[in-house]
């Protein structure tokens, strides 16, 4: 979540994270999904699916001995996107 605070200073980061969030959401939310009463939540990933996704993703990072860089690589963008999805759809509050 600390990387989300960088949004205010790096507009390019917002665009990159938005693309990663869309890719994760597209991979996890089948279309068409059962009608959702709240249109804002229609494209929300399920917490369980996002959890499985991030566990698999971090397993691969661990296997490859990945270390968080100072800048933004594919993995930091993808993990930041997951954090954004968690916050955006209040997946910890449900």
């Amino acid at each position: 979540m600390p990387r989300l605070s960088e949004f205010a200073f790096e507009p390019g980061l917002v665009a990159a994270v938005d693309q990663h969030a869309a890719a994760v959401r597209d991979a996890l939310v089948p279309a068409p999904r059962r009608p959702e009463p709240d249109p804002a939540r229609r494209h929300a990933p399920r917490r369980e699916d996002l959890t499985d996704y991030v566990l698999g993703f971090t397993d691969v990072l661990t296997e490859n001995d990945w270390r968080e860089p100072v800048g933004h690589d594919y993995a930091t963008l993808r993990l930041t996107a997951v954090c954004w999805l968690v916050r955006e759809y209040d997946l910890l509050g449900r």
Side-chain angles (χ1 to χ4, degrees), residues 56-67:
F57 189 79
T58 55
D59 282 348
V60 170
L61 293 178
T62 300
E63 289 170 9
N64 290 306
D65 199 32
W66 178 81
R67 299 286 180 249

Side-chain angles (χ1 to χ4, degrees), residues 13-94:
L13 175 61
V14 174
V17 169
D18 183 58
Q19 289 178 345
H20 280 267
V24 171
R25 193 174 42 239
D26 289 348
L28 298 179
V29 179
R33 185 176 241 185
R34 182 173 50 110
E36 176 74 36
D38 180 359
R41 299 195 66 76
R42 188 166 294 138
H43 301 288
R46 293 179 353 161
R47 179 171 46 186
E48 298 81 11
D49 294 338
L50 195 56
T51 299
D52 289 344
Y53 177 87
V54 81
L55 287 174
F57 189 79
T58 55
D59 282 348
V60 170
L61 293 178
T62 300
E63 289 170 9
N64 290 306
D65 199 32
W66 178 81
R67 299 286 180 249
E68 185 177 1
V70 173
H72 303 92
D73 64 355
Y74 178 88
T76 58
L77 291 171
R78 190 54 62 118
L79 292 170
T80 303
V82 167
C83 291
W84 183 85
L85 288 167
V86 167
R87 186 184 72 181
E88 181 71 11
Y89 293 110
D90 191 28
L91 297 177
L92 294 179
R94 296 200 281 162

